[in-house]
Amino acid sequence: MVHLQELYIGYNDLQGPLPPCLANLTSLKQLDISSNQITGNISSFPLKDLPSLKVLDISNNHFQGQIPMEIGTKLPKLISLNISRNFFNGSIPSSFGNMTSLQSLDLSNNNLFGGIPKHLAMGCFSLELLDLSNNNLKGKIPRWFGSLSHLEVIVMANNKLEGPLPKELCQLNSLMILDLSMNDISGSSPSCFGDLNIIQLHLSRNRLQGRLEDASYINISSLVLLDLSFNHLEGNIPSWIGELSSLGYLILGNNSLEGKLPTQLCNLRELRMIDLSQNNLYGKIPSCLDFTGLHEENGNDTNEYIISYLYNIPFRSEESLQFTTKSISYSYKGRILKFMSGIDLSCNKLSGEIPHTIGNLTRILTLNLSHNNLAGSIPTTFSNLKQIESLDLSYNNLNGKIPSELVEIYTLSVFSVAYNNLSGKTPERIKQFATFEESSYEGNPFLCGQPLNKSCNPVEPPLLTPGDSTDNKEDDGDFVYMDIFYITFVVTYIVVLLVNPYWRRAWFYLVEKLMVSCYYFVIDHLP
């Protein structure tokens, strides 16, 4: 088929090396053999015989060895190159700088090491997507990234990159996704990010420092996802957070943030997921937390439109987001983000009552308020959370009864109110609540009922049958009890005298005095 221009054989079960006869397809423009079990070394494949190739996708196979230099020199018309999810090692070839038409480069999920070659900036002027994630790349983030003005997606997560974020990143006016999570990046995030149109910003699991107030994202009205978790950020949650009108996912957990929850959080009407856990936040939970994005019917499709637009760009990149639900940290990726929702305020110092308005967030899937100082009762409005799967209110100071209406929630798989001051009877063991064990309720001394080993009915003394024998037994029992009393009294008396030497001497002195008095009394009164 010498005139064949497009060949798609991906997502099959093809095995073995690439056949040399593919080199006969000199008219081939697009070749997709992704998601198979093809092995071997791609350097043995005659790439020089495919000069018209524009799209090459060999991802998710079992290729190994180094990336051949010929890719950059023999494929001058290449627009998209995807060799991710293989076993390539070595460094990124400097010849990639010769691909002046290249728009998408995905080298993720391999064993590449070394630095990011400067040659990319010398020739890849059309580059729109660069994915180098899940490798062993080292060094600083190059400042020359600022010269790649067409970049829309930069993903370099889970490497060993270090140093501060270069301010030259702020020159990328087309940037929509920036993912540098799980590296060793230090310093603070540039305040100039507020001048960009970023939709997703992933900087979690680094060593970022400074006060969050100093990093200004106030002008990023397009920002849908902000993940700064697992860093060393300090200070209060800034008031400008309320200006991020499109924000749907706010992940700031595992930092050193302090202060009260700002009421500006209530302006985030599109919010679907918020994680502020493992910080030093205190004060009350604002009662105005009534996000439209977590309403079953009232929410609009702003976030869905933005995410849909984002993932329909010519070169798709599905970024993951870590969120803890059901006591396990899960990774949510790509379009699935719009189906995930939750609130995690655990492990802080929050106090006051739980706002009953949280019960209006009917689309919520997980709610974690554990390990705080919350008081008051559990709102009965929680029975409106018909889609919730995980509800954790443990380790607080909640009191009162557990609302019986909670048994109407059929989706609940994790439930815990352990270690509070709750009282009364546990919810009826029906439907989902029949699956919750003692660990869901332990640590509440005034709580009773199954599955706790504490009955809610007081134990009554056994009734005695009337009769003469009963009276005799009671009399015999009284006699036995009196004998026991006398014996116990005498033994205790003797023990006290033997143990305490002062009382022993006093007792002997008294006995001696009584004996002398008795002797003289007898002598004086005998005739």
Side-chain angles (χ1 to χ4, degrees):
M1 303 185 210
V2 293
H3 299 293
L4 189 66
Q5 295 186 8
E6 299 179 6
L7 177 59
Y8 302 96
I9 51 176
Y11 292 92
N12 282 287
D13 195 21
L14 302 177
Q15 303 176 7
L18 288 176
C21 60
L22 280 177
N24 298 333
L25 305 179
T26 55
S27 300
L28 202 62
K29 295 182 179 179
Q30 298 191 32
L31 175 60
D32 186 347
I33 57 175
S34 62
S35 299
N36 283 287
Q37 300 183 44
I38 302 175
T39 59
N41 195 321
I42 195 176
S43 60
S44 62
F45 184 72
L47 296 172
K48 61 182 177 59
D49 297 324
L50 302 176
S52 301
L53 200 63
K54 292 184 177 180
V55 176
L56 176 61
D57 190 348
I58 61 172
S59 62
N60 200 15
N61 279 288
H62 300 294
F63 290 109
Q64 56 187 357
Q66 294 187 357
I67 303 174
M69 294 284 290
E70 288 77 12
I71 292 182
T73 57
K74 303 300 182 181
L75 302 176
K77 297 182 180 180
L78 207 60
I79 295 177
S80 175
L81 174 62
N82 189 348
I83 61 175
S84 64
R85 293 178 175 85
N86 280 286
F87 300 96
F88 289 113
N89 54 36
S91 59
I92 301 174
S94 58
S95 61
F96 280 8
N98 298 326
M99 295 185 286
T100 56
S101 300
L102 193 65
Q103 298 179 22
S104 174
L105 177 60
D106 191 347
L107 309 179
S108 63
N109 294 278
N110 282 287
N111 298 316
L112 303 177
F113 54 81
I116 303 174
K118 188 176 181 180
H119 297 80
L120 292 178
M122 299 174 61
C124 300
F125 304 116
S126 303
L127 201 61
E128 297 179 9
L129 181 146
L130 177 63
D131 192 344
L132 305 176
S133 60
N134 297 296
N135 281 288
N136 294 308
L137 300 175
K138 296 182 179 180
K140 296 182 179 181
I141 300 174
R143 300 176 61 181
W144 49 256
F145 267 122
S147 63
L148 302 177
S149 58
H150 295 285
L151 271 176
E152 297 180 1
V153 178
I154 299 177
V155 184
M156 298 188 294
N158 195 19
N159 279 286
K160 299 177 181 179
L161 301 175
E162 59 185 7
L165 293 172
K167 294 183 178 180
E168 285 75 11
L169 292 175
C170 300
Q171 301 175 14
L172 303 177
N173 295 323
S174 301
L175 192 62
M176 292 193 295
I177 297 179
L178 177 61
D179 188 351
L180 301 173
S181 57
M182 290 184 284
N183 279 286
D184 198 25
I185 298 173
S186 58
S188 58
S189 55
S191 59
C192 56
F193 277 168
D195 300 327
L196 302 178
N197 295 313
I198 297 180
I199 295 178
Q200 293 192 23
L201 182 60
H202 303 257
L203 297 175
S204 65
R205 299 179 186 273
N206 280 287
R207 295 191 297 114
L208 293 176
Q209 299 175 343
R211 301 178 65 85
L212 186 58
E213 302 99 309
D214 299 335
S216 177
Y217 305 98
I218 191 170
N219 294 326
I220 310 181
S221 58
S222 60
L223 192 63
V224 172
L225 188 151
L226 177 61
D227 188 356
L228 303 175
S229 59
F230 290 91
N231 279 287
H232 306 296
L233 298 175
E234 301 176 345
N236 300 330
I237 298 177
S239 58
W240 52 253
I241 203 76
E243 301 293 330
L244 305 179
S245 56
S246 300
L247 194 64
Y249 306 90
L250 177 62
I251 313 297
L252 301 176
N254 289 271
N255 278 286
S256 299
L257 301 177
E258 56 187 9
K260 298 181 178 180
L261 294 178
T263 56
Q264 286 80 3
L265 287 173
C266 303
N267 298 334
L268 304 178
R269 308 301 296 173
E270 303 301 322
L271 203 61
R272 292 181 175 181
M273 186 184 294
I274 178 172
D275 182 359
L276 304 178
S277 62
Q278 299 284 348
N279 280 289
N280 297 312
L281 302 171
Y282 59 86
K284 297 182 178 181
I285 301 175
S287 59
C288 58
L289 292 182
D290 194 8
F291 311 124
T292 306
L294 287 174
H295 281 268
E296 188 169 10
E297 299 178 354
N298 298 331
N300 58 44
D301 295 329
T302 302
N303 280 330
E304 295 186 16
Y305 170 77
I306 293 176
I307 292 178
S308 175
Y309 166 76
L310 175 61
Y311 291 109
N312 281 321
I313 62 177
F315 310 103
R316 178 172 159 186
S317 176
E318 293 187 350
E319 293 312 293
S320 62
L321 177 66
Q322 295 285 334
F323 191 81
T324 300
T325 180
K326 304 178 184 179
S327 302
I328 302 175
S329 181
Y330 290 97
S331 179
Y332 299 93
K333 183 177 289 189
R335 295 179 185 271
I336 197 64
L337 282 176
K338 70 179 181 180
F339 300 110
M340 182 56 196
S341 59
I343 296 178
D344 190 351
L345 304 178
S346 62
C347 300
N348 281 287
K349 302 175 183 178
L350 300 175
S351 58
E353 297 184 351
I354 301 175
H356 66 88
T357 53
I358 293 181
N360 299 330
L361 309 179
T362 53
R363 294 182 62 177
I364 197 171
L365 297 182
T366 178
L367 175 62
N368 190 350
L369 304 178
S370 65
H371 293 86
N372 279 288
N373 300 316
L374 299 174
S377 59
I378 300 174
T380 57
T381 56
F382 277 10
S383 61
N384 298 329
L385 307 178
K386 301 299 184 182
Q387 299 185 33
I388 195 167
E389 299 175 355
S390 177
L391 177 60
D392 192 349
L393 306 176
S394 60
Y395 292 91
N396 279 289
N397 299 315
L398 302 175
N399 53 44
K401 297 182 178 180
I402 301 175
S404 59
E405 294 87 349
L406 295 183
V407 298
E408 301 173 5
I409 304 176
Y410 305 141
T411 56
L412 204 58
S413 59
V414 173
F415 174 74
S416 179
V417 292
Y419 296 96
N420 280 282
N421 296 317
L422 299 171
S423 59
K425 192 177 185 302
T426 57
E428 188 177 0
R429 288 182 63 79
I430 59 175
K431 301 169 184 175
Q432 292 297 110
F433 275 79
T435 64
F436 302 139
E437 302 300 330
E438 182 180 358
S439 59
S440 296
Y441 305 99
E442 63 184 356
N444 292 279
F446 303 108
L447 207 57
C448 61
Q450 294 295 326
L452 297 173
N453 295 322
K454 184 178 182 181
S455 175
C456 294
N457 299 319
V459 179
E460 297 181 357
L463 297 176
L464 297 176
T465 57
D468 294 338
S469 61
T470 303
D471 296 337
N472 293 335
K473 289 180 180 180
E474 290 178 356
D475 293 340
D476 293 343
D478 293 341
F479 177 75
V480 173
Y481 293 155
M482 290 304 297
D483 287 347
I484 294 176
F485 170 75
Y486 291 144
I487 294 173
T488 304
F489 177 79
V490 172
V491 171
T492 304
Y493 187 75
I494 295 174
V495 169
V496 169
L497 291 179
L498 294 177
V499 171
N500 194 315
Y502 174 79
W503 290 353
R504 187 168 61 249
R505 288 195 300 269
W507 166 252
F508 289 150
Y509 174 78
L510 178 62
V511 171
E512 181 182 8
K513 188 174 181 179
L514 288 175
M515 292 177 61
V516 172
S517 299
C518 291
Y519 172 79
Y520 285 109
F521 176 80
V522 172
I523 294 297
D524 292 341
H525 291 82
L526 284 177

